[in-house]
Amino acid sequence: MKQVILDAMNENEAKFKNISIYIGENPELGHEEIKACKILTDTLKEHDFHVEIGICDLPTAFKATYDSGKEGPTIGYMAEYDALPELGHACGHNLIAVMGIAAGIGLSKVLEETGGKVIVYGTPAEETKGGKVTMAEAGIFEELDVAMMVHPLDNYMKSGDSLAMDAIQFEFFGKSAHAAASPHLGINALDAVLHTFNSINALRQHIKPDARIHGVITEGGKAANIVPDYAVAQFYVRAGKREDVNILVEKVKKCAEGAALQTGATVKSSFYEFSYDDMITNKTLSDVFTKQLVSLGVEEVEIHEQRDGSGSLDMGNVSQVVPAIHPYVKICNEAYACHTHEFREAAMSEQGRDAMLLGAKSMALTGLEILTNKELLAAIKKEFAKNKQ
């Protein structure tokens, strides 16, 4: 069966590579991925997947299902395909998208023999609004036994951690006045923002090492001779675990409330983007993926443990619902950072496309192991239940 999967994927290699080029040459921002959604779903339909577009009230999200009609596990693959403003596919989502559909198509070729089901999810707007957050909240991933996606990088790296994150906004309301003639009649909303930043800076001494708080001032007044009656600050608050973010957000709110009290302003807080949960890597599942990489020719010494979990990603929300992994494959020989022009070029290179197929094959073969090994799936679920406790 392994060879059946690999043969099917090799037969479609040119098409998979051309799709990644097409998406790369036609970058679309989050929730605007019309071209990417169409070419991905059209390809899945060609391989007898049942496709639903616009799921969870997200116009460019999709769910593509191949059901053997026989009892067995349900394997889920994630496809991302949104681009970055101005930079295009500088995070390699043109590769991630194709890895998701290619793995699903490859695995579908043996389902009649193994039983079970494979589902490919199109998850829009990972870079901005976190499509998987909305989809996880809707309960769409709960039917899965495992979920997988692979990200491009400058190295092979095992699935690891990510930071939970809340995006919080503070609006301060003061009172305008002439800053020279009658400043005593004003209440300076910008001062409240500045006090908030200073209070947060003092708070940093008393937060956990994995926590991060970083912010910007988006409104600070209109003219230097007018006391600002309205000012706005936005912050990302991150930590290694969701419960730690919840605690830290309350402390950050206290900083803003104290700043309002000091200046006489009033404050309104709100969450202006979706909240991301921390990634819980299922190590049992991760080990199976690593084994498949090695079986396809990657030297085990080349596959590194994750350097850190300092970023946040919406796959974390999926991992709270179902056993999940988010490993990385090497697409370039230089240490290019994601979200750069250099990484975009790497994601459009032949080396990048070869790595894309390697990642897709490794996911498909990981799915095969789960479909044919009940003890393995039981171990994966046991670890998941333990982590959730």
Side-chain angles (χ1 to χ4, degrees):
M1 285 188 285
K2 176 178 179 178
Q3 198 57 49
V4 170
I5 291 172
L6 295 177
D7 287 346
M9 298 178 79
N10 288 335
E11 287 169 12
N12 288 278
E13 176 179 333
K15 181 157 195 172
F16 292 148
K17 287 184 174 183
N18 286 336
I19 294 171
S20 75
I21 294 170
Y22 173 82
I23 294 174
E25 291 179 344
N26 293 274
E28 300 164 300
L29 299 181
H31 297 308
E32 299 174 9
E33 313 99 321
I34 296 169
K35 292 179 180 178
C37 180
K38 185 176 190 307
I39 195 169
L40 294 169
T41 53
D42 283 351
T43 304
L44 288 160
K45 288 175 186 176
E46 289 171 7
H47 291 270
D48 300 320
F49 279 72
H50 172 70
V51 175
E52 304 165 70
I53 299 174
I55 60 172
C56 303
D57 295 322
L58 302 173
T60 55
F62 68 82
K63 175 185 174 183
T65 306
Y66 191 103
D67 190 348
S68 70
K70 302 175 183 178
E71 186 177 344
T74 302
I75 312 297
Y77 297 117
M78 307 291 148
E80 298 173 359
Y81 34 88
D82 61 315
L84 291 156
E86 299 183 11
L87 285 173
H89 279 286
C91 202
H93 289 195
N94 58 312
L95 304 179
I96 295 173
V98 178
M99 279 192 270
I101 69 162
I105 289 168
L107 188 60
S108 73
K109 305 308 178 184
V110 298
L111 283 186
E112 298 304 320
E113 187 171 350
T114 65
K117 186 188 303 184
V118 60
I119 304 176
V120 180
Y121 297 93
T123 64
E126 188 274 336
E127 297 289 358
T128 51
K129 297 296 185 181
K132 297 184 199 66
V133 177
T134 300
M135 296 166 79
E137 288 175 350
I140 197 167
F141 301 125
E142 292 175 6
E143 64 185 307
L144 296 176
D145 288 286
V146 298
M148 290 176 258
M149 67 170 286
V150 176
H151 201 291
L153 201 65
D154 62 350
N155 256 310
Y156 296 104
M157 198 169 295
K158 296 178 182 179
S159 183
D161 303 324
S162 70
L163 299 181
M165 185 194 85
D166 279 345
I168 189 165
Q169 173 175 281
F170 298 112
E171 295 177 273
F172 291 93
F173 302 89
K175 183 180 179 182
S176 63
H178 194 292
S182 54
H184 56 289
L185 298 178
I187 297 174
N188 195 315
L190 178 58
D191 279 348
V193 165
L194 297 177
H195 281 305
T196 300
F197 272 88
N198 288 333
S199 295
I200 289 172
N201 285 338
L203 176 63
R204 293 183 198 281
Q205 182 183 355
H206 307 288
I207 64 178
K208 292 184 175 181
D210 62 9
R212 304 283 187 274
I213 310 170
H214 39 101
V216 294
I217 300 171
T218 58
E219 293 276 350
K222 302 302 181 185
N225 66 340
I226 304 172
V227 174
D229 65 345
Y230 181 68
V232 182
Q234 295 178 337
F235 295 90
Y236 280 177
V237 181
R238 307 182 198 245
K241 298 294 179 184
R242 164 49 52 190
E243 54 267 29
D244 291 334
V245 170
N246 295 342
I247 293 169
L248 190 53
V249 162
E250 292 305 312
K251 292 182 178 181
V252 170
K253 285 182 179 178
K254 296 294 184 187
C255 291
E257 291 164 6
L261 186 63
Q262 290 178 72
T263 57
T266 57
V267 62
K268 175 186 175 184
S269 65
S270 60
F271 294 106
Y272 67 96
E273 289 182 4
F274 291 135
S275 295
Y276 287 60
D277 288 339
D278 49 297
M279 177 76 196
I280 304 175
T281 284
N282 188 283
K283 295 190 182 302
T284 307
L285 179 58
S286 180
D287 288 345
V288 178
F289 178 85
T290 299
K291 184 179 77 172
Q292 301 309 325
L293 268 183
V294 173
S295 76
L296 292 171
V298 179
E299 295 288 339
E300 196 160 359
V301 294
E302 293 184 74
I303 306 170
H304 305 283
E305 299 290 338
Q306 191 179 97
R307 290 189 289 256
D308 58 60
S310 58
S312 303
L313 42 94
D314 60 2
M315 191 65 178
N317 295 66
V318 181
S319 74
Q320 301 284 335
V321 178
V322 59
I325 56 170
H326 183 279
Y328 300 82
V329 291
K330 180 178 180 178
I331 69 165
C332 52
N333 297 325
E334 303 294 330
Y336 297 142
C338 295
H339 296 203
T340 61
H341 293 285
E342 292 82 4
F343 198 81
R344 179 192 62 203
E345 296 308 308
M348 290 294 290
S349 70
E350 188 64 22
Q351 182 179 352
R353 291 187 285 276
D354 287 340
M356 171 190 79
L357 292 173
L358 175 65
K361 289 174 180 178
S362 298
M363 279 200 292
L365 296 180
T366 301
L368 176 62
E369 287 239 9
I370 294 162
L371 289 170
T372 56
N373 189 335
K374 291 182 179 179
E375 290 76 16
L376 172 61
L377 181 57
I380 289 169
K381 290 189 172 183
K382 183 179 179 180
E383 180 187 332
F384 178 74
K386 183 179 179 181
N387 285 337
K388 289 298 289 181
Q389 288 175 354

